[in-house]
Amino acid sequence: MKNLLHTPDGVRDIYGKDFAEKMELENKIRDIVKSYGYEDIQPPTFEFFDVFSKECGTVPSKDLYKFFDNEGNTLVLRPDYTPSVARCAAKYFYDEKDPVRLCYKGNTYTNLSKLQGKLREVTEMGAELIGDDSVCADAEVIAMVIDALKAAGLTDFRITIGNSGFFKGLCEEAGLDEETELTLRSFISGKNYFATENLLAQTNVDDKYRESILKIADMFNDMNSLQECKDMVNNERSRRAIERLEAVYKYLDHYGVCDYVSFDLGMLSKYNYYTGIVFKAYTFGIGTALVKGGRYDGLLSQFGFNAPAIGFAIVIDDLLEALNHQKVKISVPEDAVKIYYDPFDEEDFKKNLAMSQKLRKEGKKT
């Protein structure tokens, strides 16, 4: 019986003050996202396996929780919201003329190794801007992330922005095959400089491209070094990627949030569906990104809807950990008023019942 009181590895119970703080944090973030005109959507907790297939560039099959329905279809617990929202957009908004702004909150599930020590179930909040491929859309989403983190109580954080198009263009120029590119993406994304160096040493790539790839793997950029990156390449795709970053920076300046922004062309996502701008948010007290996002202009076409899109997801559990580490207090509603009565004394019960009803009408938890 004691074993039944425990949860499996990677999941947990949340209650009391911890749950109240989590709800308050979610409300603050939701208020910011809603203020930008985003509308709620709630995809199902599990979907068909193909929604998260390799072709969609999402979580590897081995990291998915898979099971079967009565008809033998392979189903998956949602590991990532973006493909689910993309499927919904393709189904319900394919004939919409204006850009579609959708937001969500819910849990995601990843079947990680117990040796990694990470939660397998986390709560994510995010937003997707669909049908707008402009620089303004990129800036809007990044500015909204910054506003949300500030509303949550963070003051010391950084949004790091890259562009996957720069790396893709450089790999094409160097003549690397898709498999090598994907492996390099994994190494560079994990900041594994030595593995990147060893892999390049095993290829026939020209020395100048090897040096360029190693340079972006070990480079943390600011606006002054973006021109240096542009000078490293001779292909149009990589140059356009840099020009996009320069343009996004100008629009973020209009939002007044450039103090929170830096650039890193070695920042690549494990999600292969990102096609352009990618970004992550970091703060001290936690060893992973609080927020991940980017542009995925090809993902919706996997569901028959050819539309550009950009979005982000905040991991609420990680944000709470960062706030606690930084000793940022989250204000929660007051505890309920407790009224004691004698259950064997009907008059005492009636008197205290009237008092409790009066307090509830006044908006006090009783």
Side-chain angles (χ1 to χ4, degrees):
M1 289 298 294
K2 288 184 178 180
N3 290 336
L4 295 178
L5 299 179
H6 298 286
T7 60
D9 287 334
V11 296
R12 58 180 179 158
D13 301 313
I14 307 175
Y15 63 98
K17 182 174 180 290
D18 291 340
F19 190 77
E21 289 180 347
K22 184 176 182 180
M23 291 291 292
E24 186 66 19
L25 186 60
E26 291 171 358
N27 290 336
K28 289 179 178 179
I29 293 172
R30 186 175 185 273
D31 287 345
I32 293 296
V33 175
K34 297 292 283 186
S35 75
Y36 275 75
Y38 286 71
E39 297 183 0
D40 293 305
I41 192 166
Q42 187 181 58
T45 303
F46 56 87
E47 303 246 21
F48 288 119
F49 172 78
D50 289 345
V51 172
F52 305 101
S53 67
K54 180 180 178 182
E55 287 71 23
C56 292
T58 184
V59 177
S61 177
K62 66 180 180 63
D63 293 337
L64 300 174
Y65 282 103
K66 299 183 286 288
F67 56 100
F68 300 96
D69 64 12
N70 290 339
E71 284 73 45
N73 297 304
T74 304
L75 307 178
V76 174
L77 283 179
R78 176 183 57 230
D80 173 20
Y81 256 100
T82 300
S84 289
V85 176
R87 177 194 58 75
C88 290
K91 183 177 182 180
Y92 302 112
F93 302 101
Y94 65 91
D95 58 350
E96 182 63 52
K97 304 302 180 186
D98 291 333
V100 176
R101 289 169 166 82
L102 301 173
C103 59
Y104 58 82
K105 184 202 80 171
N107 289 3
T108 58
Y109 308 85
T110 311
N111 192 13
L112 299 166
S113 167
K114 64 186 299 183
L115 299 177
Q116 291 182 311
K118 297 180 179 179
L119 288 173
R120 298 178 182 180
E121 178 187 24
V122 297
T123 300
E124 290 188 3
M125 295 187 72
E128 315 292 342
L129 174 49
I130 298 165
D132 189 344
D133 62 357
S134 70
V135 173
C136 297
D138 296 345
E140 174 184 312
V141 170
I142 294 170
M144 182 166 55
V145 169
I146 293 170
D147 285 347
L149 293 180
K150 289 168 64 178
L154 282 183
T155 56
D156 189 358
F157 63 91
R158 176 70 57 177
I159 305 291
T160 305
I161 309 174
N163 193 321
S164 59
F166 181 85
F167 177 73
K168 286 178 178 288
L170 182 57
C171 288
E172 291 171 1
E173 185 180 337
L176 295 175
D177 58 60
E178 182 180 1
E179 182 179 351
T180 303
E181 178 190 330
L182 290 174
T183 306
L184 280 173
R185 173 194 292 273
S186 175
F187 289 156
I188 294 174
S189 178
K191 300 300 180 186
N192 193 336
Y193 182 87
F194 296 105
T196 303
E197 188 176 32
N198 289 336
L199 178 60
L200 289 171
Q202 298 169 20
T203 67
N204 295 322
V205 65
D206 189 278
D207 285 344
K208 71 173 184 178
Y209 295 123
R210 183 181 293 115
E211 291 173 4
S212 295
I213 292 172
L214 287 173
K215 191 168 185 178
I216 69 167
D218 197 37
M219 180 182 278
F220 193 77
N221 299 292
D222 56 27
M223 285 303 296
N224 296 325
S225 60
L226 286 180
Q227 182 61 46
E228 178 187 349
C229 294
K230 193 185 297 185
D231 294 338
M232 286 166 44
V233 295
N234 292 309
N235 71 86
E236 188 62 26
R237 186 172 190 176
S238 295
R239 288 180 179 274
R240 287 200 308 267
I242 297 295
E243 290 166 359
R244 183 81 173 201
L245 290 175
E246 292 171 336
V248 167
Y249 188 83
K250 289 180 182 179
Y251 278 91
L252 288 173
D253 190 38
H254 295 317
Y255 278 98
V257 296
C258 286
D259 288 345
Y260 297 96
V261 170
S262 63
F263 294 91
D264 180 5
L265 287 171
M267 187 186 68
L268 301 169
S269 174
K270 67 178 181 179
Y271 294 160
N272 197 35
Y273 55 64
Y274 286 126
T275 57
I277 292 286
V278 289
F279 57 88
K280 295 179 181 179
Y282 296 95
T283 189
F284 65 89
I286 183 170
T288 187
L290 295 172
V291 184
K292 298 177 182 178
R295 177 163 289 282
Y296 51 97
D297 289 345
L299 179 59
L300 278 89
S301 64
Q302 297 288 336
F303 304 100
F305 183 28
N306 188 20
I310 183 171
F312 73 89
I314 300 176
V315 181
I316 299 298
D317 307 79
D318 291 343
L319 180 54
L320 276 167
E321 183 181 344
L323 291 170
N324 289 333
H325 184 88
Q326 296 178 25
K327 295 182 170 45
V328 177
K329 186 176 181 181
I330 303 174
S331 60
V332 296
E334 295 180 358
D335 292 337
V337 176
K338 293 181 180 180
I339 296 179
Y340 297 89
Y341 64 94
D342 182 352
F344 302 103
D345 185 335
E346 186 175 354
E347 291 303 315
D348 187 55
F349 171 82
K350 288 169 60 179
K351 179 184 70 175
N352 285 289
L353 174 61
M355 184 185 301
S356 66
Q357 290 175 327
K358 177 177 179 293
L359 290 173
R360 286 172 187 148
K361 287 179 180 179
E362 293 174 356
K364 296 179 180 179
K365 295 186 297 182
T366 307

